[in-house]
């Protein structure tokens, strides 16, 4: 009986909150009516977690990726197409670190140290996406949306032009990467500005691995393709 009572209270409270947020008429915030401007500007900060997807030439044990959370920030340029469509440019700088763990079987018949089994991959990306934002009708001070598009990124820490490779402890990646992106979020209209939390997945379209000089290198010889994928959590202010 007690559980039924608690459940009823929860359902009534949920219905009341839903009515307050989405059905009951409220005073519309954002008096500058930013959504009606042809061009608007803002900035974003957030967190990211990058990963690698590997394809292999032979069926050996997978290269393991230790992921960590990184930080990013950037600017937003928004062009209004109509009440439901916006074209956005969101250039930013992204910082992240990934560690690659190699299984000992990759070094079978070779002399190696424990340090050879681990490669730290630090990346600083200048990330420039062109995105289409598709929104619903504004409900009081909320407007959900989905967003997607393509992007390019310049990896300032790629080591692409470094003459040393993994035999000297240097893991190398290509400077330029191309992505497609898709995500969703919600515009929240506050008293003086618009605040937008969102989440987005990014997926590389090109192979990013710069291979070692030795075609049988234990670090790169078995990799047919290496592509970045990641998750961005953004907090945008306009």
């Amino acid at each position: 009986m007690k559980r039924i009572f608690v459940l009823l209270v929860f359902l009534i409270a949920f219905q009341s909150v839903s009515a307050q947020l989405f059905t009951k008429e409220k005073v519309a915030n954002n008096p500058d009516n930013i959504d009606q401007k042809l061009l608007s500007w803002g900035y974003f900060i957030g967190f990211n977690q990058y990963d690698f997807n590997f394809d292999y030439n032979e069926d050996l044990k997978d290269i393991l990726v230790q992921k960590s959370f990184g930080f990013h920030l950037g600017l937003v340029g928004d062009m209004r197409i109509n009440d439901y469509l916006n074209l956005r440019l969101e250039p930013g700088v992204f910082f992240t670190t990934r560690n690659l763990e190699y299984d000992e079987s990759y070094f079978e018949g070779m002399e190696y140290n424990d340090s050879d089994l681990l490669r730290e991959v630090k990346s600083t990306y200048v990330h420039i996406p062109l995105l289409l934002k598709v929104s619903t009708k504004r409900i009081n001070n909320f407007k959900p949306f989905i967003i997607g598009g393509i992007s390019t990124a310049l990896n300032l820490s790629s080591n692409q032009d470094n003459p040393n490779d993994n035999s000297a402890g240097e893991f190398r990646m290509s400077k330029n990467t191309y992505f497609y992106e898709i995500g969703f979020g919600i515009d929240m209209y506050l008293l003086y500005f618009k605040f937008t939390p969102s989440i987005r997945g990014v997926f590389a379209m090109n192979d990013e691995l710069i291979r070692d000089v030795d075609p049988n290198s234990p670090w790169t010889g078995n990799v047919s393709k290496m592509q970045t994928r990641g998750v961005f959590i953004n907090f945008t202010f306009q």
Side-chain angles (χ1 to χ4, degrees), residues 106 110 212-222:
Y106 278 83
M110 302 172 56
D212 296 340
V213 175
D214 180 3
N216 298 315
S217 165
W219 296 279
T220 64
N222 191 44

Side-chain angles (χ1 to χ4, degrees), residues 34 40-44 74-78 88 236-238:
I34 192 172
S40 59
W41 314 95
Y43 66 92
F44 66 88
L75 302 174
V76 174
D78 184 286
R88 297 170 73 90
T236 303
F237 303 84
Q238 285 180 270

